[in-house]
Amino acid sequence: MNGNGASTRTAGGGFVVAVTVLAGTLMLAAGVWALAAPQAFAEFAGFPASRHFVHDAGAFQVGIGATLLLALAWRDGLSLALAGFLAANSVHAVNHFVDLGLGGQASEAWALVAVSVLTAAALALRLRALGWVVGEVGAVAAPALSRYARQKTAVLTTYRRDGSPVATPLSVVADGDRLLVRSYERAGKVRRIRHHPEVRIAPSTTRGTPTGPATRARARRLGGAEARRAARLLARKHPVLHGVLVPLTHRAFRSRYGRTVHFELLPLDPPPARPTCPSDRVVATA
């Protein structure tokens, strides 16, 4: 379990995931059906056809389905609720414009649009407060690495043979007393780490602009179970990016850039000294 919700990797977790996927997929499918073919949906459900009513039912089925599926990856309850409501309300707003000829007023549709805009703004602010990390965040044992727990991107500085630095932004995940990153096997930073394993890493923007002081670390390439664990932790923290997009991209370009490799970064800087308290002092007696 993490601070934002229970993990699905518990006893019966596979069953929970399967039921969630099934329920979310069925709700999305029903919602799309109601939106695309309201007459057929009403006939199947066995109630008198009302196009706008069926459209609205479809909107909220889409919202429920999206919430269920997002819950498999998102660990923040408030973000999840806002995203699900945003999906439902936005489709609801579209329905009011599409069905305006059946009744209602344009002002109602625009009011729903305003609610969606406000919800989107609230969701963006919430995600920003979370560092744009909606996945699972693990425990951090090293004080120097606590700022990376919710950090989405960090800039890794590696060194050429002549000592000149090269900075590269990448995704990072904290795991106890170390950080984990991944790259292509033939990437320049992998070659530089091979010759000079001491690196620096700092929290940064997506483009690699540092947003905090750098930490000196020693990089070590992982293999076997350690590499698989690094891949899992990256996917849990970044479910879309490292759970789907990066693996697909790496697989598509493997012949050109080589396979995916993972590294651990162990901090070299000593932890800050604990302030001396009066109770820590030893008083000499005769």
Side-chain angles (χ1 to χ4, degrees):
M1 180 182 297
N2 61 35
N4 296 318
S7 171
T8 56
R9 295 181 308 282
T10 57
F15 176 76
V16 172
V17 170
V19 171
T20 304
V21 170
L22 177 62
T25 302
L26 288 175
M27 291 301 291
L28 276 177
V32 171
W33 184 15
L35 292 167
Q39 181 69 36
F41 184 88
E43 291 175 359
F44 175 82
F47 55 76
S50 169
R51 192 176 77 177
H52 183 67
F53 174 79
V54 175
H55 277 170
D56 280 357
F60 290 101
Q61 285 174 314
V62 166
I64 294 171
T67 302
L68 285 167
L69 295 178
L70 283 174
L72 294 172
W74 288 30
R75 293 292 178 260
D76 182 65
L78 182 54
S79 299
L80 180 63
L82 287 169
F85 176 76
L86 178 61
N89 193 74
S90 297
V91 178
H92 189 195
V94 172
N95 289 345
H96 272 259
F97 282 109
V98 171
D99 298 334
L100 197 56
L102 301 178
Q105 301 177 4
S107 59
E108 296 170 348
W110 285 112
L112 290 171
V113 170
V115 171
S116 284
V117 170
L118 291 174
T119 304
L123 177 59
L125 288 173
R126 178 61 178 176
L127 294 177
R128 182 179 178 182
L130 296 173
W132 302 97
V133 174
V134 293
E136 185 172 326
V137 176
V140 181
L145 304 183
S146 60
R147 55 194 168 135
Y148 294 98
R150 283 206 165 273
Q151 183 66 31
K152 185 176 185 292
T153 308
V155 59
L156 177 70
T157 301
T158 52
Y159 298 90
R160 298 190 178 98
R161 290 178 182 269
D162 63 2
S164 56
V166 181
T168 309
L170 39 61
S171 300
V172 62
V173 61
D175 180 31
D177 61 352
R178 62 181 182 169
L179 299 177
L180 301 173
V181 298
R182 72 173 6 151
S183 184
Y184 290 111
E185 189 173 30
R186 296 173 191 163
K189 58 180 170 291
V190 174
R191 294 195 302 271
R192 292 188 291 272
I193 288 174
R194 188 182 306 129
H195 298 295
H196 194 291
E198 186 172 319
V199 300
R200 286 181 179 272
I201 190 162
S204 73
T205 64
T206 304
R207 295 190 176 186
T209 302
T211 58
T215 300
R216 292 190 312 123
R218 181 169 294 276
R220 180 176 72 90
R221 182 168 170 174
L222 304 176
E226 286 188 303
R228 290 191 292 272
R229 174 179 173 81
R232 287 196 303 271
L233 293 179
L234 281 164
R236 290 171 190 167
K237 182 177 180 181
H238 309 283
V240 175
L241 182 62
H242 284 277
V244 180
L245 298 180
V246 170
L248 287 176
T249 303
H250 280 209
R251 192 171 294 114
F253 292 97
R254 181 172 296 175
S255 60
R256 181 175 180 181
Y257 296 114
R259 28 179 212 150
T260 303
V261 293
H262 298 84
F263 290 88
E264 71 169 10
L265 306 180
L266 288 171
L268 296 176
D269 295 327
R274 185 168 64 93
T276 302
C277 298
S279 59
D280 294 332
R281 297 172 185 164
V282 178
V283 180
T285 59

